[in-house]
Amino acid sequence: MKLPPLNALRVFETAARKGSFVAAGDELGVTSAAVSLQVRTLESWLGRALFFRRNNQIRLTDAGEDLYRNAAQSLAEIADFTQSVQNATATRALVISAVPSLTERWLIPALAKLNAAFPIKVISADDPVDLERTGVDIHISYGGRQYPDHTRTALFTDAVQPMAAPAIAADPSNAPRIEIDWGRNFTSAPRWSDWYTLTGTEPSATPPIWIATSTGMALTMAEQGAGVVLGQVALAQQALAQGTLIALDPNSMPLPAGYFAITGHHQSRNSKVQTLLRGLKSAAP
């Protein structure tokens, strides 16, 4: 596609519409000499004279008339299209994603407190997420190592501690323990054996074990009275505040890695993304 010098074309359209290089310069914020230079550049590129010039007056040639009709229409269509793109960008919801447990237990309550001045779309997505292909602006990831080519913003490092529903908390010694299967990608996830080693304690008995496949599921099981869980403190904030879960020990064990907000490098210039990142950091426990 061989395009003419577009800035020169825009200057020509203004001069043809105004009928004067001086008036065109006033509209464009340049001198009449600069307008004349751009018009000559376009004439040289086309190999055609576009204006008759006489005594500081200009009049379109036949070639100039033809170009003006087409250029004016084309530039108007481009202006309309770019305006519609700008409007769509201005109203497009900012998309943020996280693994389901984090989305439901921490992200949504955190966003609800921020009172953002722009629309936000929240989706659940397991790692790894192709941010560019899926249109995700911010993805919150545990560890974030799967995203070496993106910007990682540290949010917080969570910790776990024993917690249970009030009925179980009254006498948790023989209650079933809820273990979390973190999947094949995590070899250093906290388990009950790690807790006993850290605190120097042993269960008074060997209670049955429940195995949950996510932190959110484990917390729900504990809230329903299934047993005692090593629950993530940040994800259990509301449950602990509302009394549906009771912390059984003031001690806690930090997770081996933190949570990171993953963004494309280009998002450093996106004011909405940066505003939300600051809000998420301020909402961190």
Side-chain angles (χ1 to χ4, degrees):
M1 181 183 295
K2 190 176 181 181
L3 294 173
L6 296 181
N7 189 50
L9 185 63
R10 184 172 72 96
V11 171
F12 160 75
E13 186 277 334
T14 306
R17 174 164 44 83
K18 291 289 188 179
S20 163
F21 287 175
V22 174
D26 290 341
E27 179 174 315
L28 297 170
V30 298
T31 65
S32 60
V35 172
S36 179
L37 178 61
Q38 290 290 339
V39 170
R40 290 190 184 282
T41 297
L42 185 59
E43 288 177 324
S44 176
W45 190 88
L46 292 169
R48 295 284 188 275
L50 299 174
F51 289 104
F52 295 112
R53 298 165 174 84
R54 184 177 181 182
N55 297 329
N56 293 324
Q57 294 181 334
I58 60 172
R59 181 167 57 86
L60 286 167
T61 64
D62 286 344
E65 289 277 5
D66 289 340
L67 180 61
Y68 174 62
R69 283 194 299 270
N70 288 283
Q73 179 179 349
S74 298
L75 290 172
E77 290 174 352
I78 292 172
D80 289 343
F81 173 73
T82 52
Q83 183 63 53
S84 67
V85 171
Q86 287 178 327
N87 291 341
T89 301
T91 58
R92 185 182 77 86
L94 192 149
V95 181
I96 183 169
S97 67
V99 296
S101 293
L102 189 68
T103 299
E104 297 167 8
R105 292 277 180 167
W106 179 78
L107 179 57
I108 292 176
L111 291 174
K113 298 176 182 177
L114 296 182
N115 296 319
F118 47 84
I120 299 172
K121 181 179 180 180
V122 183
I123 62 176
S124 294
D126 290 318
D127 288 305
V129 171
D130 186 335
L131 277 71
E132 287 72 23
R133 185 179 64 81
T134 57
V136 171
D137 297 295
I138 301 174
H139 176 68
I140 301 178
S141 171
Y142 176 71
R145 296 177 181 174
Q146 306 97 316
Y147 305 92
D149 298 324
H150 293 73
T151 299
R152 300 193 313 161
T153 302
L155 295 179
F156 64 92
T157 298
D158 205 357
V160 297
Q161 62 183 162
M163 51 187 75
I168 298 291
D171 184 14
S173 57
N174 292 315
R177 296 306 187 250
I178 301 172
E179 196 79 81
I180 301 172
D181 180 1
W182 286 68
R184 295 179 300 173
N185 294 331
F186 300 98
T187 58
S188 57
R191 305 186 183 281
W192 276 106
S193 57
D194 300 316
W195 176 260
Y196 296 138
T197 299
L198 176 71
T199 58
T201 60
E202 288 289 342
S204 56
T206 305
I209 294 289
W210 288 100
I211 299 177
T213 55
S214 73
T215 297
M217 180 188 297
L219 290 172
T220 299
M221 292 172 67
E223 286 176 305
Q224 297 300 318
V228 182
V229 65
L230 274 179
Q232 287 184 234
V233 178
L235 274 61
Q237 282 183 105
Q238 283 196 329
L240 293 169
Q242 295 168 358
T244 57
L245 285 176
I246 305 294
L248 306 181
D249 193 309
N251 297 309
S252 63
M253 181 167 61
L255 294 182
Y259 285 96
F260 291 82
I262 310 300
T263 57
H265 295 305
H266 65 285
Q267 297 289 23
S268 63
R269 300 185 297 274
N270 187 318
S271 60
K272 292 181 180 178
V273 169
Q274 295 305 312
T275 295
L276 190 52
L277 286 176
R278 289 192 294 270
L280 291 172
K281 291 182 71 173
S282 69

